[in-house]
Amino acid sequence: MRVNESYKYELVQDLRLVQGKAISGLNDSSHGVYLLSSQYIMYQGGSYTTRDVSQDIIRYTQSNIILSGISEINFEQKTGTPSNTGTIVLTNTIDNSTEVIDVQSSGTIY
């Protein structure tokens, strides 16, 4: 059983949504995503630690999927430039299959 590609697609779409919020300057703020092994938090603010907690949106992974790699990506207000670049790895704990999401300095996410 491979990592569910629809889950990868959902996470990519959420990253792009958060990036779009930053580009549009929603609430005159930067926006970001903080990733833990079994969940990720979409937040408003300059970083996870200084975020507006009332704006948090929490998404949980499927029980057999673990997230690793980049732990926080903050998208700059107006430009959408990511604070961190690299990969997010989704691992299926049943068969160790993986999918990778790449976040580039240009802001491209795939």
Side-chain angles (χ1 to χ4, degrees):
M1 174 185 237
R2 296 200 45 80
V3 171
N4 188 333
E5 286 185 32
S6 66
Y7 185 76
K8 174 186 174 181
Y9 178 76
E10 179 181 323
L11 179 49
V12 167
Q13 290 305 105
D14 279 343
L15 289 166
R16 290 177 180 159
L17 172 69
V18 170
Q19 184 181 37
K21 288 179 178 183
I23 291 169
S24 71
L26 181 66
N27 296 327
D28 196 31
S29 182
S30 298
H31 294 263
V33 178
Y34 188 76
L35 299 112
L36 300 163
S37 62
S38 61
Q39 68 182 23
Y40 57 96
I41 299 120
M42 296 180 283
Y43 65 84
Q44 176 180 292
S47 73
Y48 180 72
T49 56
T50 62
R51 74 194 190 282
D52 177 351
V53 178
S54 70
Q55 298 295 315
D56 283 1
I57 299 171
I58 301 171
R59 300 256 199 262
Y60 295 93
T61 64
Q62 297 170 357
S63 61
N64 61 310
I65 294 180
I66 301 295
L67 302 173
S68 60
I70 302 172
S71 61
E72 181 174 0
I73 306 165
N74 190 270
F75 296 100
E76 187 177 310
Q77 183 182 355
K78 301 295 183 191
T79 67
T81 304
S83 60
N84 289 326
T85 60
T87 59
I88 299 167
V89 180
L90 296 83
T91 303
N92 182 327
T93 59
I94 296 172
D95 67 1
N96 289 324
S97 62
T98 60
E99 289 285 342
V100 176
I101 297 171
D102 192 30
V103 179
Q104 298 184 337
S105 60
S106 64
T108 303
I109 302 167
Y110 63 92

